[in-house]
Amino acid sequence: MTRGRPLAFSPDQAIAQAMQVFWAQGYNSASTRDLLAAMQISRSSLYQAFGNKEQLFLEALHRYRDNLVARLQRTLTASPSALAFIEGLFRDTARDACSERAALGCLIFNSASELGQRGDAPSREAAVAVAAIRQLFHQAVLQAQEEGDIDAGRDAAMLANYLTLSMAGLRTLLKSGASAEDAGGAVEQVLTGLR
Amino acid sequence: MTRGRPLAFSPDQAIAQAMQVFWAQGYNSASTRDLLAAMQISRSSLYQAFGNKEQLFLEALHRYRDNLVARLQRTLTASPSALAFIEGLFRDTARDACSERAALGCLIFNSASELGQRGDAPSREAAVAVAAIRQLFHQAVLQAQEEGDIDAGRDAAMLANYLTLSMAGLRTLLKSGASAEDAGGAVEQVLTGLR
DNA sequence: GTATTTTTGGATCGATTGTTCCATATTTAT
DNA sequence: ATAAATATGGAACAATCGATCCAAAAATAC
């Protein structure tokens, strides 16, 4: 089986760089020039390896989602309790208000907000990614109920929606320049509602 | 004082049409072609009357903010109580999940999410608009405290941040395709936290 | 070494971006 | 009627958009 000339770049690294561009600029505003510069590959290589801008975005968003969910799963496992995981996640996000990471927001919520319900593949992928976050919160709530930190009689799916809504809102609040104090106060109110 | 040839269009109506385009597509994705088509004016007239795309957006967002705040103020005044106003606002938004209005979201939160902390005029105007929403919630919370519906000992500014966060999150949730049931359930949890 | 396969660099494509410019049209002031 | 002032329509601008094409480069297979 003939192979031909090998790739001069790592597709994984290239996608990771593209992800950063989409993260910082959004899908529509990220130009192929920006992407090529960040990925350090030629125009031909991009279209040869990834098809087009839309497919590259789908790969980048998928990668972001997988990385995020995996990281949160690990954090959840390492936490003393599911409730502590949820509280830590929200408090850490609020505490990080002034970082450039906070200014970027979350690629998933950014994409959901930008692409809305357009019906094309990027829009659907964004909705799938939001659903993945909701599912992770759902799992955490169920675990917290088993651990006795959240009343078992409450609707776990509803609380998962509530936490997804709250995290999305927190990210928007931070994007609008909210201080760590303002964000932290609101987050405590969100968490109070959990118990 | 000489006046010259009068405008062949209404600047107010033109801005209103431009607002719709920015609302549906976002600042960056709204092209001047789209704007001209919606405003029904010529290219020259746009630049003559509004300067450029950025200034037109600033006018459109400012108009949107003024209209929204005025409408909410009227609704608040007409409501039997400030708490009823807040509850109605959130419940109505969630109930409207499947409408095309919900798919558009809110221009203010859309802009805050898209423009983030870029530091330019559109970005700053978006932050100002979010602050206006927070202030309106602040006023409503203070009134609800006077009316005895919210414990007067609680931090009104914090609750205003909480409500702003919640509304922003609700809009993102709806943009990702959440059902009226899912959104409604999460909203009830948000409102439970108020009392 | 020759043939084959795949990647790469770079030119190039038509379309679109936001913006400017100018001649023309239309109004008011005198 | 004439002059001044303003608005309009449309051509044109350079820059950039996403995408394609082709020859040269670099690997493997025989």
Side-chain angles (χ1 to χ4, degrees):
Chain A
M1 162 153 109
T2 65
R3 286 291 310 268
R5 178 175 171 179
L7 284 173
F9 62 94
S10 155
D12 272 15
Q13 287 185 11
I15 291 179
Q17 295 302 317
M19 191 179 75
Q20 298 289 334
V21 177
F22 286 125
W23 196 354
Q25 309 197 24
Y27 172 61
N28 285 299
S29 294
S31 72
T32 52
R33 303 191 96 178
D34 300 329
L35 291 165
L36 295 177
M39 299 167 79
Q40 301 264 50
I41 65 177
S42 77
R43 203 160 207 88
S44 307
S45 301
L46 190 155
Y47 285 91
Q48 166 86 6
F50 304 106
N52 55 29
K53 179 183 168 181
E54 177 177 304
Q55 293 177 34
L56 176 61
F57 174 75
L58 292 177
E59 293 231 40
L61 180 52
H62 194 88
R63 155 88 54 109
Y64 182 95
R65 191 231 302 180
D66 281 351
N67 286 353
L68 178 63
V69 169
R71 184 169 60 80
L72 292 179
Q73 288 278 10
R74 284 196 304 271
T75 307
L76 172 58
T77 303
S79 294
S81 72
L83 181 61
F85 160 74
I86 295 172
E87 291 176 338
L89 178 62
F90 276 85
R91 287 178 177 143
D92 289 349
T93 304
R95 188 179 302 115
D96 203 37
C98 295
S99 72
E100 47 181 298
R101 165 63 201 277
L104 291 182
C106 165
L107 178 59
I108 293 176
F109 292 129
N110 289 356
S111 301
S113 175
E114 176 187 2
L115 306 174
Q117 294 283 88
R118 276 195 329 203
D120 56 5
S123 159
R124 286 197 303 270
E125 177 64 29
V128 166
V130 171
I133 291 185
R134 182 171 49 209
Q135 185 186 356
L136 189 132
F137 277 133
H138 187 77
Q139 172 189 346
V141 169
L142 287 175
Q143 183 178 330
Q145 287 178 317
E146 290 175 1
E147 293 167 348
D149 290 325
I150 294 180
D151 180 6
R154 303 177 72 185
D155 184 345
M158 180 273 287
L159 288 179
N161 283 320
Y162 168 71
L163 289 174
T164 307
L165 174 154
S166 296
M167 182 55 76
L170 174 56
R171 296 242 94 120
T172 302
L173 210 61
L174 293 177
K175 275 218 160 192
S176 79
S179 68
E181 289 78 17
D182 284 348
V187 156
E188 290 308 316
Q189 181 57 43
V190 167
L191 297 176
T192 299
L194 259 191
R195 295 176 262 103
Chain B
M1 164 156 115
T2 64
R3 286 292 310 272
R5 178 174 169 180
L7 284 173
F9 62 94
S10 157
D12 272 14
Q13 287 185 11
I15 292 180
Q17 297 301 318
M19 190 180 75
Q20 297 289 334
V21 176
F22 286 125
W23 197 353
Q25 308 198 25
Y27 173 61
N28 286 298
S29 293
S31 72
T32 52
R33 303 191 87 165
D34 300 330
L35 292 165
L36 294 177
M39 299 167 80
Q40 301 264 50
I41 65 176
S42 79
R43 207 160 206 85
S44 307
S45 301
L46 189 155
Y47 284 89
Q48 167 86 6
F50 303 106
N52 56 28
K53 179 183 167 182
E54 176 176 305
Q55 293 177 33
L56 176 61
F57 174 75
L58 293 177
E59 294 232 41
L61 180 52
H62 194 88
R63 155 88 52 110
Y64 182 94
R65 190 230 302 177
D66 281 349
N67 285 352
L68 178 62
V69 169
R71 185 168 58 80
L72 292 179
Q73 288 278 11
R74 284 197 304 272
T75 306
L76 171 57
T77 303
S79 294
S81 73
L83 180 61
F85 160 75
I86 295 172
E87 292 177 337
L89 179 62
F90 276 86
R91 286 177 177 144
D92 289 348
T93 303
R95 189 180 301 118
D96 203 38
C98 295
S99 73
E100 47 182 298
R101 164 65 201 276
L104 291 183
C106 165
L107 178 59
I108 293 175
F109 293 128
N110 290 356
S111 301
S113 174
E114 177 188 2
L115 306 174
Q117 293 283 87
R118 277 194 330 201
D120 56 3
S123 159
R124 285 197 303 270
E125 178 64 30
V128 167
V130 171
I133 291 185
R134 182 171 49 209
Q135 186 185 358
L136 189 133
F137 277 134
H138 188 79
Q139 171 187 348
V141 168
L142 287 175
Q143 182 177 333
Q145 288 177 317
E146 290 175 2
E147 293 167 348
D149 289 326
I150 294 180
D151 180 6
R154 304 178 72 186
D155 184 345
M158 181 272 287
L159 289 178
N161 283 321
Y162 168 70
L163 290 174
T164 306
L165 175 153
S166 296
M167 181 55 76
L170 174 56
R171 295 242 95 119
T172 302
L173 211 62
L174 294 177
K175 275 217 160 191
S176 78
S179 67
E181 289 78 15
D182 284 348
V187 155
E188 289 308 318
Q189 181 57 43
V190 167
L191 296 177
T192 298
L194 258 191
R195 293 175 265 103

